[in-house]
Amino acid sequence: MTEKLIIFDTTLRDGEQSPGASMTRDEKLRIARQLERLKVDVIEAGFAASSNGDFECVKAIAEVVKDSTICSLARANDRDISRAAEALKPANSGRLHLFLATSALHMEKKLRMTPDQVFEQAKLSVRFARNLMGDIEFSPEDGYRSDPDFLCRVIEAVIAEGATTINVPDTVGYAIPELYGNFIKNLRERIPNSDKAIWSVHCHNDLGMAVANSLAGVKIGGARQVECTINGLGERAGNCSLEEVVMAVKTRKDYFGLEVGIDTRHILATSRMVSQTTGFVVQPNKAVVGANAFAHASGIHQDGVLKARDTYEIMRAEDVGWTANKIVLGKLSGRNAFKQRLQELGVAMESEAEINNAFARFKDLADRKSEIFDEDILALVSDESVAQDNEQYGFVSLSQHSETGERPHARVVFTVAGKEITSESDGNGPVDASLKAIESHVKSGAEMVLYSVNAISGSTESQGEVTVRLQNSGRVVNGVGADPDIVVASAKAYLSALNKLQSKADRVAAQG
Ligand code: KIV
Ligand code: ZN
């Protein structure tokens, strides 16, 4: 029988640690449901002990997601482990993921512990966790830069205490594929009880090799779990990208000889959802999910693909969720057609009320835009900037005047805790005027560190998708807004970022 490669998604934990990528509870729940639909084996839902907010998110995900194993990260101490186990109680299948640094640098400078102390703590923490749950993963943080002799000692001990998965993180993205693969192979060969655990890879992308390193860990090292994130989201240069690793193993099954359980048809919808929720735009030439990933611009390529697609295509676009016919709906499309399209795009909507709300926004968009593309629908369903009961700020309407030689002026109507406010301002351009109008009332004092506009479906008829990144008192948040009018999209993005700034989060970083 073909062996299985376990896909462990950490978009909601390691991915979320990327400055600006923090997500609300509802956003995390939506992404978790989508990951379940994608048939991810393990979802790392958060780091329960890092904040009350994270605890609630892990718990809520454990309550609703039933087909994937739900995992919480925990430092290797009793308090963190108990908290994580408590949050995971509602899960059908739960996993505790313990981590403790083992590199000389981290032990001395960060933990201020001796190797013997780290060894003892690793052992005792797994013993403690094993009394609470059967599925225990242990990560020696900065494992790849750790002394192999010490690592062997620690790993042998934690497996003896009952750890069921051993993860070898390249925490700082320092590895080279062949070296990383052999590093894991050596550990597995030297540790007498290594066959009692599943081995896992966890690679950061600082040198752009996270996917290559992970695949080498699988092929050379014999790892059977890959930790990854959607779009490679993550701190600094990000983590190993789920879509790339999955499609590599599937497309080159001849080489890897492994099965993956992922339903790849939901990859694109998941990528769009994560990008629109976090405001981290996917580069057009990104493998698998970038807008150009299946576009053949050169005449020779186009001719070849039309004659026989495998002349230049190694994967089928539709297998990862790109559809052949991209013009999907219009003004006359009904609720059923809309609902069916949502299903085809892999967008899970829980309640009829949610579908009705999205359909009303679809109708509104169709009144202003004759052709509605898949990308428009995906943007629409993740647009959280419209006035919502549970949000502090909501967009209502906007008018602006700009003329060559005149200073632009904007008037924005928006809600603050449900109450409508009208605010006006001048600015350098209509976008500047609109955001100044909002800020003059809200007085957030936040600094804008990024503003970007992206045409969702490529033409001037398309919706503009705006990302605004705000920084205030050490916190960085991203807001996203989409609309055929980019000034409106900008106001929506700004309000969405303000909503995120509102929700306070005091949390402990995993790689503190
Ligand atoms: O990169 C890392 O070392 C981690 C651990 C917490 C697993 O994310
Ligand atoms: Zn990591």
Side-chain angles (χ1 to χ4, degrees), residues 13-14 73 97 99 139 141-142 167 169 171 202 204 510-511:
R13 197 280 295 170
D14 218 346
L73 186 70
H97 178 188
F99 75 100
S139 286
E141 192 192 0
D142 205 17
N167 182 41
T171 304
H202 178 111
H204 282 263
Q511 286 122 26

Side-chain angles (χ1 to χ4, degrees), residues 383-441:
D383 184 356
E384 301 264 336
S385 58
V386 284
Q388 294 198 0
D389 298 346
N390 53 349
E391 298 282 29
Q392 176 76 352
Y393 305 109
F395 178 79
V396 179
S397 66
L398 181 152
S399 66
Q400 52 86 13
H401 179 80
S402 63
E403 203 175 317
T404 312
E406 300 267 316
R407 190 160 166 79
H409 184 86
R411 183 170 177 273
V412 187
V413 184
F414 58 104
T415 53
V416 180
K419 186 168 164 258
E420 255 183 47
I421 303 289
T422 303
S423 186
E424 302 192 25
S425 176
D426 289 349
N428 283 348
V431 170
D432 188 46
S434 304
L435 304 199
K436 282 194 168 123
I438 298 171
E439 181 60 25
S440 69
H441 178 85

